[in-house]
Amino acid sequence: MGVVDLSVLIPTTGRRPKILERSQRRWEWCARAEGYTVEVLTTSLYTWGEGCNYLMTRAKGDTVALVPDDVLPNAELYEKAVQGFADKVMPLGRYFHENGQPLHPTIDHLDHGQSHPWSRCFILPTEIVLQLGPMIDATWYADIEYSERLIEHGWTIRAHKDVFFTHMEAPRDWLTDEEETRSRELYETTIRERNL
């Protein structure tokens, strides 16, 4: 593959192949429709945070999208997202069910341009991701901690009326109490260490 505009990094459990395939096809369709080059990289070996870290070492794109396997990008997401990079603005990852209802109304119904302290997924210049360093090795809270570091680096996370994802219904068998507790404790430890 020659020049890659966008590397889409999708950590996955490996137990939802149809969902993953649908996501991959949508990213590839968007790239063809909008005229940019894309590579979609996946792994099922790690937590979401550590999976993003692993895939980042293989990414060739000028821009990276760090996303879960159960979301589909809307048309023109890439084009609209990169427009804010010069002003250090990253679009908020807003999710809507396939019937159009928001996954979480308080986040997903924010007005265009309204800021938010964290995003569930990320689309950023590769150089910024490399500057931020690795995500924490967590399934939960990795996105919150990463968002906090992004904001500390002078970026703003803002809702964009044309940047959103369709959230597919899928089994969520990774939602265990043990992993939530481990992730939360790791997040809290990381915050303490960052504030020393």
Side-chain angles (χ1 to χ4, degrees):
M1 182 177 282
V3 175
V4 177
D5 295 312
L6 176 64
S7 294
V8 179
L9 313 184
I10 307 178
T12 178
T13 66
R15 295 185 296 272
R16 309 192 296 188
K18 291 182 180 177
I19 292 292
L20 177 60
E21 181 183 355
R22 190 172 170 203
S23 178
Q24 289 175 300
R25 283 197 321 262
R26 178 65 180 183
W27 282 104
E28 291 163 357
W29 180 89
C30 286
R32 285 192 303 273
E34 297 171 46
Y36 61 88
T37 55
V38 68
E39 65 174 356
V40 180
L41 304 174
T42 69
T43 182
S44 60
L45 302 175
Y46 307 99
T47 62
W48 192 77
E50 193 62 23
C52 286
N53 298 337
Y54 169 80
L55 294 171
M56 191 62 213
T57 65
R58 287 147 177 80
K60 298 179 180 69
D62 294 329
T63 302
V64 292
L66 313 173
V67 296
D69 61 358
D70 58 2
V71 297
L72 305 172
N74 72 303
E76 300 180 7
L77 181 141
Y78 171 75
E79 176 190 341
K80 301 296 184 184
V82 299
Q83 290 175 357
F85 290 174
D87 297 320
K88 299 181 85 171
V89 174
M90 187 197 78
L92 175 67
R94 296 184 306 130
Y95 296 172
F96 295 89
H97 292 292
E98 295 187 69
N99 65 6
Q101 294 300 310
L103 186 63
H104 295 293
T106 54
I107 299 171
D108 301 322
H109 273 174
L110 290 174
D111 292 333
H112 177 77
Q114 194 170 351
S115 64
H116 197 265
W118 62 274
S119 180
R120 293 167 285 201
C121 60
F122 303 86
I123 182 165
L124 288 164
T126 300
E127 63 182 319
I128 299 304
V129 173
L130 293 173
Q131 287 173 20
L132 289 175
M135 286 188 169
I136 60 174
D137 180 10
T139 301
W140 280 272
Y141 300 98
D143 51 356
I144 296 174
E145 196 276 335
Y146 205 68
S147 296
E148 292 168 349
R149 276 192 280 148
L150 182 65
I151 291 169
E152 287 174 5
H153 274 74
W155 282 69
T156 304
I157 301 168
R158 295 191 184 280
H160 192 296
K161 64 183 177 64
D162 297 320
V163 178
F164 58 88
F165 297 85
T166 299
H167 185 266
M168 296 178 280
E169 301 304 323
R172 305 185 85 189
D173 53 4
W174 44 266
L175 281 168
T176 65
D177 292 341
E178 293 79 12
E179 178 56 19
E180 182 174 15
T181 299
R182 187 193 73 81
S183 292
R184 183 175 60 250
E185 289 174 352
L186 178 57
Y187 167 73
E188 291 169 352
T189 299
T190 303
I191 294 303
R192 284 195 298 272
E193 292 174 351
R194 208 169 73 216
N195 291 329
L196 289 179

